[in-house]
């Protein structure tokens, strides 16, 4: 499977074209809209979420509730486009270019680097596409991937582990409980003691014109053994999952399993002992590897975490330099969130879902979901008897 996305933050719409989804997969538009709604929630979101009420339109590749095997086109309209048509129009509009021309790069954004790379004196041509608004269509794409994974009993949940300096206590819960409790939490946190402290910290940052980052975790259960490969560097699934996580706007770090903790432990406390049981086959006593060894899935839950930096758009702006005058200035203030970590948890689920689904299609290539299910069932029976 592969996809391309297009669209700007204040353009008319965001679009994705997905290729390679097998035919006859039951397809729910409502399931995509549920994921889009999840992305818009979370304590600390800004006013843009009051404007946009994201809903997907499916304009190809699905008929009467089932995929056809043809490319699937998803569209999410930007409601804010109504206020930006003159500035963002594809056709020349007299006076509009100078009205919203951006010559002042914001620290922490793609503005200056992108302007230099693409020879753009108006940095709006950079910031519109690099905006985190782009994650909307990625969540929609991830929601399609989740429907594919559901056909094989593969499920995904996410949680927030840290916001600012407030760290949640780790809790061992089932995936069902994780999903239920995080959906009920304004910060998608399992720890009932950390939750109000996180919310208070977000409120404090907002009052002070500052922003906060944090850590999110994604768990994937039901993944068969052997997705990915050890034979080439670019086929290692842990590398692809790490790249997917790092591709999310403002993410600056990633770890799988116990991750960086492994650096301070002896091997006896890092590696997972292998066991075998009648009926279930091979598994591990522990899951410190986070479900991946040698670039391949082990059959244990895939566990991956990502670090999101504080959003760089601040109401207490940092200093920068105007590219026209070379004079210093206080960075401009665009409408922004004080904390988007809870929403980023949903985005992280989406990008991980996509990579797992893509790896499933590589391992079990089929034109129809019927053939793919049969192939997966045969393979699972084989691994239990190996």
């Amino acid at each position: 499977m592969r996809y391309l996305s297009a669209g700007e933050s204040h353009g008319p719409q965001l679009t994705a074209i997905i290729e390679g989804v097998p035919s006859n997969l039951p397809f729910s538009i409502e399931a995509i809209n549920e994921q889009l709604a999840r992305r818009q929630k979370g304590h600390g979101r800004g006013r843009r979420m009051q404007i946009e009420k994201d809903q997907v339109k499916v304009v190809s590749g699905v008929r009467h509730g089932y995929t056809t095997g043809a490319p699937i086109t998803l569209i999410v309209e930007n409601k804010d486009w109504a206020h930006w048509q003159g500035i963002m129009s594809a056709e020349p509009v007299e006076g509009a270019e100078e009205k919203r021309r951006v010559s002042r790069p914001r620290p922490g954004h793609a503005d200056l680097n992108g302007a230099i790379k693409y020879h753009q004196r108006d940095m709006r041509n950079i910031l519109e596409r690099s905006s985190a608004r782009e994650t909307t269509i990625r969540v929609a794409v991830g929601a399609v991937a989740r429907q594919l994974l559901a056909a094989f009993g593969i499920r995904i949940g996410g949680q927030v582990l840290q916001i600012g300096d407030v760290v949640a206590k780790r809790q061992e819960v089932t995936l069902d409980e994780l999903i239920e409790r995080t959906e009920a939490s304004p910060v998608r946190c399992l720890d009932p003691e950390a939750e109000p402290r996180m919310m208070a910290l977000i409120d404090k940052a907002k009052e002070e014109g500052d922003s906060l980052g944090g850590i999110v975790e994604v768990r994937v259960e039901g993944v068969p053994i052997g997705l990915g490969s050890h034979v080439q560097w670019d086929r290692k699934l842990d590398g692809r999952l790490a790249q997917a996580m790092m591709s999310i706007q403002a993410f600056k770090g990633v770890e799988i399993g116990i991750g960086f903790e492994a650096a301070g432990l002896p091997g006896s406390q890092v590696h997972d002992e292998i066991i075998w049981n009648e009926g279930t086959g091979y598994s591990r006593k522990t899951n410190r590897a986070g479900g991946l060894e040698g670039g391949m899935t082990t059959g244990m839950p895939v566990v991956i975490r990502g670090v999101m930096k504080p959003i760089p758009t601040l109401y207490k702006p940092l200093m920068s330099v105007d590219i026209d005058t070379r004079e210093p200035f206080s960075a401009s203030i665009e409408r922004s969130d004080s904390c988007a970590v809870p929403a980023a948890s949903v985005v992280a689920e989406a990008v991980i879902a996509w990579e797992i689904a893509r790896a499933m299609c590589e391992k079990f290539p089929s034109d129809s979901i019927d053939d793919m299910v049969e192939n997966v069932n045969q393979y699972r029976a084989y691994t239990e008897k190996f």
Side-chain angles (χ1 to χ4, degrees):
M1 293 197 304
R2 60 177 180 169
Y3 77 93
L4 285 175
S5 71
E8 286 76 39
S9 179
H10 296 100
Q13 66 186 44
L14 299 165
T15 307
I17 299 177
I18 309 171
E19 185 181 52
V21 178
S23 67
N24 299 330
L25 176 71
F27 191 96
S28 169
I29 292 175
E30 184 55 36
I32 300 176
N33 287 334
E34 287 175 3
Q35 294 300 320
L36 291 174
R38 292 179 69 225
R39 176 193 165 276
Q40 294 193 279
K41 297 177 183 177
H43 195 72
R45 299 308 306 271
R47 287 180 294 162
R48 181 75 187 263
M49 295 305 101
Q50 299 170 17
I51 298 171
E52 306 293 350
K53 300 298 179 185
D54 294 330
Q55 299 276 298
V56 72
K57 290 183 179 179
V58 181
V59 299
S60 74
V62 178
R63 185 166 179 260
H64 302 320
Y66 291 88
T67 57
T68 66
I72 298 170
T73 304
L74 308 178
I75 292 171
V76 178
E77 294 180 349
N78 289 326
K79 302 301 183 186
D80 212 14
W81 161 249
H83 305 105
W84 288 78
Q85 291 187 48
I87 294 94
M88 294 300 296
S89 172
E91 297 293 332
V93 177
E94 186 176 351
E97 182 177 349
E98 284 304 314
K99 182 179 178 183
R100 288 298 180 96
R101 180 177 177 274
V102 178
S103 64
R104 296 182 165 189
R106 301 162 298 165
H109 284 274
D111 302 354
L112 182 59
N113 304 335
I116 292 172
K117 175 179 174 64
Y118 289 100
H119 295 203
Q120 297 291 328
R121 299 300 296 183
D122 181 358
M123 286 180 285
R124 181 157 298 284
N125 293 333
I126 306 303
L127 66 88
E128 284 288 335
R129 178 59 182 168
S130 64
S131 166
R133 176 68 184 158
E134 180 264 350
T135 62
T136 303
I137 201 66
R138 281 205 271 175
V139 168
V141 169
V144 174
R146 292 172 87 117
Q147 294 183 55
L148 175 65
L149 295 176
F152 310 103
I154 301 173
R155 301 172 65 227
I156 299 177
Q159 63 175 310
V160 172
L161 298 177
Q162 182 174 341
I163 290 179
D165 60 3
V166 178
V167 180
K169 292 180 181 178
R170 296 306 302 266
Q171 299 187 29
E172 297 298 325
V173 299
T174 65
L175 186 60
D176 284 334
E177 185 176 354
L178 183 147
I179 292 170
E180 180 181 356
R181 288 172 57 184
T182 54
E183 285 301 299
S185 169
V187 286
R188 298 198 175 278
C189 178
L190 283 175
D191 185 350
E193 294 182 0
E195 178 184 289
R197 293 168 52 213
M198 288 178 175
M199 294 171 67
L201 192 64
I202 292 170
D203 292 340
K204 183 173 182 289
K206 184 176 182 179
E207 291 173 5
E208 295 176 350
D210 219 327
S211 62
L212 295 167
I215 298 175
V216 303
E217 179 180 274
V218 177
R219 188 201 305 181
V220 189
E221 294 191 353
V223 180
I225 295 172
L227 299 187
S229 179
H230 66 285
V231 301
Q232 290 289 352
W233 66 270
D234 59 346
R235 294 179 62 190
K236 292 176 181 287
L237 186 56
D238 45 8
R240 285 165 43 176
L241 292 172
Q243 192 276 334
M245 188 73 87
M246 287 293 289
S247 75
I248 303 171
Q249 286 84 338
F251 271 56
K252 301 298 278 187
V254 63
E255 63 178 0
I256 296 172
I258 62 172
F260 290 104
E261 183 185 347
L265 297 173
S268 58
Q269 296 177 35
V270 171
H271 305 295
D272 303 305
E273 293 183 316
I274 299 171
I275 57 176
W276 184 89
N277 288 309
E278 185 74 38
T280 59
Y282 295 97
S283 61
R284 305 295 193 276
K285 277 188 176 182
T286 54
N287 192 30
R288 297 161 181 153
L292 290 142
E293 289 178 342
M296 298 167 286
T297 52
T298 65
M300 298 293 285
V302 171
V303 180
I304 183 168
R305 286 176 290 279
V307 177
M308 184 184 192
K309 71 179 181 180
I311 291 171
T313 298
L314 305 176
Y315 287 94
K316 182 175 63 178
L318 301 174
M319 296 301 295
S320 184
V321 176
D322 189 303
I323 65 170
D324 289 341
T325 67
R326 304 293 196 272
E327 295 294 323
F329 73 99
S330 294
S332 60
I333 299 172
E334 297 265 341
R335 182 175 52 224
S336 181
D337 306 329
S338 54
C339 179
V341 176
S345 174
V346 178
V347 179
E349 290 179 34
V351 300
I352 297 304
W354 172 262
E355 287 301 326
I356 297 291
R358 192 158 71 99
M360 286 288 290
C361 288
E362 291 171 352
K363 175 68 177 169
F364 308 102
S366 304
D367 293 320
S368 73
I369 195 65
D370 316 273
D371 289 343
M372 191 172 177
V373 168
E374 183 178 350
N375 293 340
V376 172
N377 288 341
Q378 289 178 355
Y379 179 75
R380 280 178 163 156
Y382 155 77
T383 59
E384 290 174 7
K385 297 177 181 178
F386 182 82

